[in-house]
């Protein structure tokens, strides 16, 4: 059946309307403040990084990007809050390596990270660094291993929480060296580093973003970086792999959104984040 020209034009316009509407929505986005959920307390590496990115996005998109800390359960509480949020682009998640780890550690999560969180953009990948209190007797990784072996179970290893990349980096070190350290999980980087600086715990596999200023100020001593190559921020610090062949660990951060968030908005955020603050494309330059 041949349709009249006017009816054909009406049908074409109706088909194009949703596309035009989505494009217009993306162009106008954001029209109100956007929340960025962080699953850890203020003051740690995740918090430092996300506040830098929120400032950048606020300036670029002329709307407030507000950081909201939801600590607990190794980042799972914050992740679940985003999973349950409206899929409209106004709630984002700071995600990272802990999300991948938690999928294997927790049997009864109420969400599936890969299924329920839409990837928006990667932000940064960096090294962890093995840090100790300045009074600790070891100044190198071989000295640390020797000290740990002669003092089994007497060294306390702090982490931001069970399942965090810092925790997994330490467990990998224990497995590959055969040393026995006691893991003490905290509710984030900041409280763990506070106890390390005060001498309440002896070692931490901290991300470089959190610990760099404490290292430079002499409050902590860096023994080694955990990545395969030396950190740009700490070029004089050896890697663990120089003494423990095959050892490698790194931490990454990114942004996610609830599944079914509008693709046009995700694409817009991806473009702005990838244009991000100068230096974030290099693994340690944000330090």
């Amino acid at each position: 059946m041949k349709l009249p020209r006017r009816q054909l034009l009406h049908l074409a316009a109706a088909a194009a309307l949703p596309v035009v509407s989505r494009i217009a929505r993306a162009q106008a986005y954001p029209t109100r403040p956007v929340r960025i959920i962080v699953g850890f307390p203020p003051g740690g590496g995740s918090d430092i990084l996300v506040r830098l990115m929120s400032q950048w996005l606020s300036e670029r998109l002329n709307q407030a990007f507000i950081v909201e800390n939801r600590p607990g359960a190794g980042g799972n509480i914050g992740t679940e809050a985003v999973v349950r949020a409206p899929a409209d682009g106004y709630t984002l998640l700071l995600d990272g390596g802990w999300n991948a780890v938690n999928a294997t550690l927790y049997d009864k999560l109420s969400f599936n990270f890969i299924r329920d969180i839409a990837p928006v953009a990667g932000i940064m990948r960096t090294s962890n660094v093995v840090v100790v209190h300045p009074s600790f007797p070891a100044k190198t990784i071989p000295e640390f291993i020797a000290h740990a072996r002669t003092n089994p179970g007497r060294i306390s290893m702090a982490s931001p929480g069970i399942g965090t990349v810092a925790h997994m980096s330490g467990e990998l070190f224990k497995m590959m060296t055969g040393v026995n350290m006691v893991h003490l999980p905290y509710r984030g980087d900041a409280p763990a580093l506070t106890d390390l600086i005060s001498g309440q715990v002896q070692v931490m596999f901290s991300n470089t973003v959190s610990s760099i200023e404490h290292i430079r100020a002499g409050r902590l001593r860096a023994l080694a970086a955990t990545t395969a190559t030396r950190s740009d921020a700490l070029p004089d610090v050896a890697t663990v792999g120089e003494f423990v062949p095959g050892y490698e660990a790194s931490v990454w951060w990114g942004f996610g959104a609830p599944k079914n968030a509008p693709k046009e908005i995700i694409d817009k955020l991806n473009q702005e984040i990838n244009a991000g603050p100068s230096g974030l494309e290099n693994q340690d330059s944000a330090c």
Side-chain angles (χ1 to χ4, degrees):
M1 180 180 68
K2 186 175 181 180
L3 295 174
R5 182 172 181 274
R6 179 175 295 180
Q7 187 176 357
L8 185 62
L9 290 174
H10 278 304
L11 290 173
L17 187 60
V19 176
V20 174
S21 176
R22 291 196 300 269
I23 293 173
R25 177 174 56 188
Q27 289 175 338
Y29 173 89
T31 58
R32 64 180 191 272
V34 179
R35 295 188 304 158
I36 304 176
I37 305 297
V38 181
F40 298 94
S46 299
D47 196 64
I48 293 168
L49 185 62
V50 77
R51 290 183 189 280
L52 177 65
M53 287 304 305
S54 68
Q55 182 180 355
W56 166 262
L57 290 170
S58 296
E59 293 172 355
R60 292 277 292 187
L61 296 174
N62 298 312
Q63 187 59 260
F65 280 71
I66 301 168
V67 177
E68 184 176 318
N69 296 88
R70 296 279 192 94
N76 286 328
I77 291 176
T79 301
E80 184 173 0
V82 176
V83 168
R84 297 183 180 280
D88 55 8
Y90 287 88
T91 304
L92 304 177
L93 173 71
L94 181 77
D95 52 30
W98 58 88
N99 291 112
V101 173
N102 286 346
T104 66
L105 286 185
Y106 293 82
D107 294 329
K108 296 182 179 180
L109 289 174
S110 62
F111 58 86
N112 181 305
F113 178 72
I114 294 176
R115 179 195 66 206
D116 296 330
I117 294 293
V120 174
I123 302 174
M124 184 180 175
R125 182 174 180 175
T126 188
S127 173
N128 280 345
V129 59
V130 185
V131 285
V132 297
H133 190 273
S135 65
F136 194 79
K139 295 184 178 180
T140 65
I141 288 296
E143 291 178 359
F144 181 89
I145 294 171
H147 181 77
R149 285 176 176 168
T150 56
N151 295 273
R154 297 181 181 178
I155 295 177
S156 298
M157 181 187 75
S159 84
I162 295 173
T164 57
V165 177
H167 176 207
M168 294 295 99
S169 298
E171 293 297 334
L172 179 63
F173 182 84
K174 289 166 61 177
M175 182 180 70
M176 294 182 69
T177 61
V179 301
N180 180 10
M181 299 184 289
V182 178
H183 175 224
L184 295 180
Y186 287 75
R187 287 174 61 86
D189 280 315
L193 284 169
T194 297
D195 274 8
L196 181 62
I197 291 168
S198 68
Q200 300 301 307
V201 292
Q202 286 74 54
V203 65
M204 183 173 173
F205 287 67
S206 173
N207 69 71
T208 311
V209 177
S210 298
S211 57
I212 186 71
E213 292 305 321
H214 299 302
I215 295 168
R216 290 171 175 166
R219 291 185 289 268
L220 293 175
R221 177 191 299 144
L223 300 186
T226 64
T227 39
T229 58
R230 294 194 178 196
S231 164
D232 292 341
L234 298 167
D236 296 330
V237 176
T239 67
V240 175
E242 291 176 38
F243 309 104
V244 184
Y247 181 96
E248 180 183 359
S250 61
V251 57
W252 58 266
W253 291 278
F255 276 140
K259 68 176 181 179
N260 299 325
K263 181 181 182 301
E264 294 78 9
I265 289 177
I266 287 179
D267 289 344
K268 183 173 184 177
L269 285 167
N270 179 276
Q271 181 179 356
E272 295 298 339
I273 292 166
N274 284 329
S278 176
L280 278 183
E281 67 276 7
N282 297 319
Q283 66 169 11
D284 289 313
S285 54
C287 304

